[in-house]
Amino acid sequence: MDPTAKTTPYTSPDTPQPRRFSRRAKIIGGLLALLLLAGTGWLAWYLTRPAAEGAAGPGGRRGAPSTTVGVATAEAASIPVVIEALGTVTPQATVRVRPQVSGVMEKVLFKEGQMVKAGDLLATIDPRQFEMALMQASGQRLRDEAQLDSARVTLQRFRTLLEQDSIARQEVDTQAALVKQLEGTVTINKANEGTARLNLGYTRVVAPISGRVGLRTVDVGNVVSNSDANGIALITQVTPIDVVFAVPQDRVGELQQNVASGTPMKVTALDRTRTTVLDTGVFASLDNQVDTTTGTVKAKARFTNSKLSLFPSQFVNVRLEVRTIDNAVVVPVTAVRLGATGDYVYVLNPAERTVSLRPVKRGQATAEKIIIASGLKAGEQVITEGADRLSDGSRVALPGDAPAGGRAGQGRRPRPGASAPAGSASVPEAAIPAVPTIAPAPASATQTGTPPSPVAAPQPQGVERPTPAQRQRLLDQVKDDPVALERRKRFLENLDKGEPAALERWQRMKDNMGQRERPAQ
């Protein structure tokens, strides 16, 4: 037997053979699969079509629901150009009062936190030892002055004798030198007396500047000296007071021009929340160099601080008014939006209740207003709220407008068998009036002149409630409008309660949807 020969496995006649499909069967199967996919896609489109049409409403298509927006009018106003920064309150002078002589504290005449003026007596040191030193210096001066007078008289007598050639010139010169020596001694004595008198005056500690006294660090009976680190008191000048803040280096040139021209620049100091004005002052000066770490220059503003609302080392918010732009077109900050091509606003067309996209160029801005340098005129109305759902040509509704359902001819239930006009769109739920519909009175009541009663309105019979899918579809149609979504939820709640008005509205909505979908069938 040849080992290279191929062997065929044995197959029993009863073994089932695999089924083979022809080319035609494969083609037919593929077509059936494509048809199944197309049908599934059409079904998905059909189920989601009402929500998509409702979402396309803000685009401005005819028949789509309007978007409720907020508007504001562009105004011509004067806008100040300001620089805002964080500043530190800095006193013009801070002095720590230290005693100039050593001694026992005899009196403390100030209270903590007291406002004092320059020259006011703050404390006294025991002066007795300094009085004794002054008396000693005065006695030495008097003694030396008497010796000087005697030497001068002797010198004068020697000079007379010298003229008579009765005395040697050497004695005259010696007496003259003695007089000069005594004059020097008297001068030293006068200086010692002045020092003693000055030390006696230092026993009265007075305020060197006007300001507020801090907490005291000594009491009566303490021994004080000029080497004490804490001293007797700390006086800080609070009126006037300065605020130091930093301005960007790009604004230094403009500030220097105003300073050179003598234009005063108003500075306002605000509290931490920027709601309370602490004080108003004027711009004082700029530093002479730029801080390279921050790219700013230190500036100083001066405040009178008459109400003492600014406290030394306090952090405040500074608002510097550099200049004022007059007759500028201003709008709220929320009206200006940024797009791919730049800044733009939506301008309201009051007659058509539509909006137009208008490119603008922005200028200076404040916390609430922004200047429109070009692209907008004073008096035009711009959209400030709800602009996220708008595009050029979108139809809008203002908060004061009447609901669309209140217009004549809208929201009526079509007669049975009547067809909708060609090209008419379905009436949205927001256009249906929310007031209860009064049913017509019986003929007998009409003939007798009895007015119909709203309570007698019959409840519609046989009205099918919306399915869960329809309820979700109704909510999805207005999910982007919070007001309409809340109104739709209340409508469904009234529908669940079986209120006649809600059932009537649901029947009209079903009829309108049936008229819209009938041509597609």
Side-chain angles (χ1 to χ4, degrees):
M1 182 176 182
D2 188 3
T4 61
K6 294 182 179 179
T7 59
T8 302
Y10 172 75
T11 303
S12 173
D14 298 334
T15 303
Q17 299 294 327
R19 187 177 179 182
R20 294 184 175 86
F21 294 97
S22 63
R23 182 180 181 85
R24 181 178 180 183
K26 293 180 179 180
I27 294 175
I28 294 175
L31 292 176
L32 291 176
L34 291 177
L35 291 176
L36 181 60
L37 290 175
T40 305
W42 178 85
L43 180 60
W45 172 82
Y46 174 77
L47 294 177
T48 59
R49 180 165 56 96
E53 291 178 354
R61 186 172 52 83
R62 182 179 180 183
S66 302
T67 302
T68 303
V69 297
V71 297
T73 303
E75 302 175 349
S78 298
I79 297 297
V81 179
V82 301
I83 298 177
E84 295 188 354
L86 182 64
T88 304
V89 180
T90 304
Q92 292 187 2
T94 300
V95 177
R96 186 172 296 279
V97 181
R98 292 187 175 91
Q100 301 298 311
V101 293
S102 300
V104 178
M105 184 65 63
E106 188 177 44
K107 295 180 181 179
V108 176
L109 304 176
F110 67 89
K111 296 181 180 179
E112 298 175 335
Q114 177 185 349
M115 297 294 298
V116 297
K117 297 181 179 180
D120 289 350
L121 182 63
L122 300 179
T124 59
I125 301 174
D126 187 5
R128 290 176 294 178
Q129 59 175 337
F130 303 101
E131 291 174 352
M132 298 298 104
L134 176 60
M135 292 175 61
Q136 182 180 0
S138 299
Q140 291 178 357
R141 177 182 62 80
L142 293 175
R143 182 195 60 188
D144 293 339
E145 285 179 350
Q147 294 178 358
L148 176 61
D149 293 339
S150 175
R152 285 175 177 173
V153 171
T154 302
L155 177 61
Q156 185 63 31
R157 186 170 57 251
F158 283 177
R159 287 176 178 174
T160 303
L161 295 175
L162 179 62
E163 293 176 357
Q164 298 175 359
D165 197 17
S166 299
I167 191 173
R169 181 173 294 276
Q170 182 178 0
E171 293 184 8
V172 175
D173 294 338
T174 302
Q175 188 64 28
L178 179 61
V179 170
K180 291 182 178 180
Q181 181 180 358
L182 292 175
E183 288 177 350
T185 303
V186 171
T187 302
I188 294 174
N189 291 335
K190 289 181 179 180
N192 293 334
E193 184 182 6
T195 301
R197 195 180 302 277
L198 184 62
N199 289 335
L200 179 62
Y202 282 152
T203 59
R204 294 172 50 87
V205 182
V206 297
I209 61 172
S210 300
R212 174 181 288 161
V213 181
L215 303 179
R216 70 178 186 180
T217 58
V218 296
D219 296 321
V220 175
N222 294 147
V223 177
V224 296
S225 65
N226 55 3
S227 61
D228 293 340
N230 296 327
I232 296 177
L234 180 66
I235 302 177
T236 302
Q237 183 176 349
V238 293
T239 54
I241 202 168
D242 297 336
V243 174
V244 178
F245 58 98
V247 297
Q249 60 181 355
D250 299 335
R251 310 297 295 272
V252 172
E254 188 175 6
L255 296 179
Q256 286 182 333
Q257 292 178 0
N258 291 342
V259 172
S261 62
T263 303
M265 290 179 285
K266 179 182 177 182
V267 183
T268 305
L270 306 173
D271 64 348
R272 180 179 56 85
T273 60
R274 297 178 181 269
T275 57
T276 304
V277 176
L278 301 178
D279 201 357
T280 56
V282 294
F283 182 83
S285 61
L286 278 172
D287 200 359
N288 58 358
Q289 59 183 353
V290 177
D291 188 351
T292 57
T293 58
T294 60
T296 59
V297 179
K298 289 184 178 180
K300 181 180 290 187
R302 184 151 296 172
F303 297 82
T304 57
N305 198 24
S306 58
K307 298 181 180 179
L308 302 179
S309 55
L310 297 177
F311 204 80
S313 302
Q314 177 185 4
F315 289 99
V316 295
N317 290 293
V318 179
R319 182 179 297 167
L320 170 62
E321 295 185 9
V322 181
R323 55 190 175 91
T324 302
I325 302 177
D326 298 326
N327 297 325
V329 179
V330 297
V331 297
V333 175
T334 55
V336 181
R337 312 187 68 81
L338 179 61
T341 58
D343 298 324
Y344 66 92
V345 296
Y346 283 112
V347 181
L348 175 67
N349 303 317
E352 296 81 6
R353 282 295 190 268
T354 58
V355 295
S356 301
L357 190 147
R358 183 88 57 85
V360 296
K361 182 179 180 181
R362 70 168 64 195
Q364 299 289 337
T366 63
E368 299 178 354
K369 300 289 185 179
I370 185 171
I371 297 177
I372 303 300
S374 62
L376 193 66
K377 296 181 180 179
E380 292 183 309
Q381 292 182 322
V382 294
I383 305 301
T384 58
E385 298 179 4
D388 294 335
R389 302 185 297 273
L390 299 179
S391 61
D392 192 9
S394 297
R395 188 174 299 276
V396 297
L398 302 183
D401 292 346
R407 299 177 184 175
Q410 294 186 4
R412 294 182 180 178
R413 180 180 178 183
R415 295 189 303 272
S419 60
S424 63
S426 62
V427 180
E429 186 270 338
I432 301 174
V435 297
T437 304
I438 301 176
S444 59
T446 305
Q447 294 174 0
T448 59
T450 304
S453 176
V455 182
Q459 180 174 345
Q461 301 294 332
V463 179
E464 296 181 0
R465 305 297 173 85
T467 63
Q470 292 174 336
R471 296 172 66 94
Q472 186 62 36
R473 190 184 308 167
L474 291 174
L475 296 177
D476 291 342
Q477 289 177 356
V478 294
K479 62 181 181 180
D480 296 331
D481 191 346
V483 178
L485 180 61
E486 184 64 24
R487 187 167 56 245
R488 186 66 60 86
K489 289 180 179 180
R490 290 198 303 268
F491 165 69
L492 293 176
E493 292 177 359
N494 296 336
L495 192 61
D496 294 337
K497 295 177 182 179
E499 294 185 3
L503 295 174
E504 185 73 19
R505 292 166 62 186
W506 170 241
Q507 182 63 39
R508 289 198 298 269
M509 294 174 65
K510 289 180 61 178
D511 294 342
N512 292 332
M513 288 189 293
Q515 293 176 8
R516 183 184 59 187
E517 297 172 358
R518 188 175 296 116
Q521 297 175 355

